[in-house]
Amino acid sequence: MTSSTRPAISQEQGAASSTILATGHVRGSRVVSNQEMCTMIDSTPEWIEQRTGITSRRWATAEETPRSMAAEAGRRALTKLDLTGDQVDAVICATVSHHRPSPSLAAYVAHDLGAFSAAAFDVNAACAGFCYSLTLADSLIRSGAATRVLVIGVEKLSEMINLADRGTAFLFSDGAGAAVVGPSSTVGVGPAVWGTASDKVETIEIEDWTEVASHPELNHPLIAMDGRAVYKWAMTTVTAKASEAIARAGISPADLDVFIPHQANDRITDALVRHLKLPDSVTVCRDIADMGNTSAASIPIAIDRMLDRGEIHSGDLALIIGFGAGLVFAGQVIVIP
Ligand code: UT7
């Protein structure tokens, strides 16, 4: 067959835009106060609260696994839409807490939700994982590769805390947040600003399993982070990228109703608000206070909890931005479901 007689393959197109249709979340059931944290590390409840805004965090029990928390958060989001798992075309799990190289956590969650023929895969983009995955979901829907996508950020970081490192141990927490993303006639997920500062790839790392194998006293790989370096980078790069996400959405900071950055540290949130010159009319997410840092899960958990508490409303314009190990970042303006 010559190139002139070979038939051209056809391409498909999906919806013009996508939007988040509903969210759901689950938190680890054990409340760990700063007081209790300070029985494990050399610190004070006041130091932790002043430096981070955290007063307590949630740790999952042995029965609460990344798989069970992800499936439950997904189920809660689907139930709000009267949908079942078989009505989802793709399941994406954003996580660094799934310790089995294969199959993916998303494949297990798809099974548990009855999404038996959905595409399923994991995204490892650390604390930017939800925003990375939302970017993919939006692209899948607009390309026609999927109609409904279930995006779940889930972490069980309590297993990977290094209690010998008092500079980071108090930060981390467990939970899952889910978003059902579907087609929309108006733009509900704005242009993504995403990337990696790969020259800083060693700033936050989780050990690999070969290191664990050579230290039998460890059950899990541990998190190591140069917190001060992340903090400084967030002030410059993350601020600039957040501004870019607002501009690329064609709006100005004053048009935003709410700002939901990755819940890493309230002082980082404060500095971002200052640098972005967000007006007082913008509601600022402070979910970290009784939740701690749940990496890929922090933004979807925060969205769902802020809706539950009546702090935000359907139709609000929100800037979300995640940043973490890589060092990766991703942010976009979204419409609250
Ligand atoms: O989610 C992924 C992205 N991660 C982040 O965005 C984390 C960003 N970084 C941070 O949130 C902050 O850097 C931390 C909360 C992790 C640490 O706060 P910091 O203000 O940067 O503290 P530091 O590590 O610079 O330490 C300041 C001082 C040190 O004492 P000296 O050397 O000044 O005498 C530390 O030894 O605070 C001391 N310190 C503590 N003191 C009491 C460190 N940890 C503790 C502690 N309790 N737990």
Side-chain angles (χ1 to χ4, degrees):
M1 201 178 281
T2 66
S3 57
S4 58
T5 55
R6 192 180 290 131
I9 60 171
S10 56
Q11 186 51 283
E12 294 180 346
Q13 232 178 353
S17 311
S18 79
T19 196
I20 297 177
L21 300 168
T23 53
H25 81 275
V26 169
R27 302 198 289 162
S29 59
R30 192 159 104 67
V31 179
V32 179
S33 66
N34 283 352
Q35 221 90 27
E36 182 180 350
M37 198 70 233
C38 293
T39 63
M40 298 176 242
I41 59 169
D42 175 19
S43 187
T44 64
E46 296 73 28
W47 190 96
I48 296 172
E49 188 174 350
Q50 279 163 15
R51 294 284 172 139
T52 65
I54 298 171
T55 58
S56 63
R57 60 211 48 68
R58 293 297 192 110
W59 286 0
T61 61
E63 292 72 37
E64 293 166 335
T65 62
R67 175 175 172 175
S68 73
M69 292 191 289
E72 186 53 27
R75 200 172 288 118
R76 290 180 185 181
L78 289 168
T79 301
K80 288 180 187 166
L81 300 167
D82 282 329
L83 291 176
T84 48
D86 58 338
Q87 292 167 290
V88 164
D89 306 301
V91 178
I92 307 175
C93 281
T95 189
V96 298
S97 308
H98 179 57
H99 298 299
R100 194 186 288 274
S102 191
S104 67
L105 179 61
Y108 288 109
V109 172
H111 171 270
D112 296 348
L113 292 175
F116 296 120
S117 58
F121 58 96
D122 293 351
V123 166
N124 180 337
C127 309
F130 179 74
C131 295
Y132 264 63
S133 302
L134 184 60
T135 304
L136 292 177
D138 172 58
S139 303
L140 292 174
I141 291 165
R142 287 192 290 125
S143 72
T147 304
R148 256 187 231 111
V149 183
L150 180 61
V151 175
I152 306 172
V154 56
E155 303 292 3
K156 189 169 182 179
L157 300 177
S158 59
E159 291 177 333
M160 295 183 278
I161 288 171
N162 181 359
L163 287 174
D165 178 7
R166 71 170 185 159
T168 61
F170 52 84
L171 291 168
F172 300 113
S173 190
D174 305 333
V180 182
V181 188
S184 168
S185 54
T186 54
V187 178
V189 178
V193 174
W194 64 346
T196 309
S198 56
D199 58 321
K200 296 181 174 50
V201 68
E202 290 169 357
T203 310
I204 309 173
E205 291 181 304
I206 298 176
E207 292 169 307
D208 70 46
W209 281 98
T210 57
E211 289 168 277
V212 179
S214 58
H215 294 94
E217 73 282 5
L218 301 177
N219 285 326
H220 288 88
L222 302 181
I223 301 169
M225 172 171 77
D226 179 349
R228 183 48 69 92
V230 182
Y231 195 100
K232 278 162 69 180
W233 170 77
M235 291 307 93
T236 52
T237 303
V238 177
T239 308
K241 298 298 171 185
S243 288
E244 203 181 319
I246 298 171
R248 296 261 310 275
I251 64 167
S252 67
D255 296 320
L256 288 170
D257 298 295
V258 53
F259 177 45
I260 309 177
H262 166 49
Q263 296 295 286
N265 185 330
D266 245 356
R267 282 163 56 224
I268 295 182
T269 299
D270 288 340
L272 289 170
V273 169
R274 273 197 314 276
H275 283 100
L276 290 168
K277 299 188 174 48
L278 295 183
D280 290 345
S281 58
V282 177
T283 301
V284 177
C285 176
R286 304 287 179 185
D287 201 53
I288 195 168
D290 63 351
M291 190 58 219
N293 176 345
T294 50
S295 188
S298 86
I299 291 174
I301 290 175
I303 294 172
D304 201 48
R305 292 188 76 213
M306 290 179 86
L307 277 166
D308 287 350
R309 290 192 293 257
E311 292 170 11
I312 57 175
H313 305 96
S314 178
D316 282 355
L317 285 187
L319 171 65
I320 59 174
I321 188 155
F323 49 92
L327 292 175
V328 292
F329 57 85
Q332 55 265 91
V333 175
I334 61 164
V335 176
I336 294 295

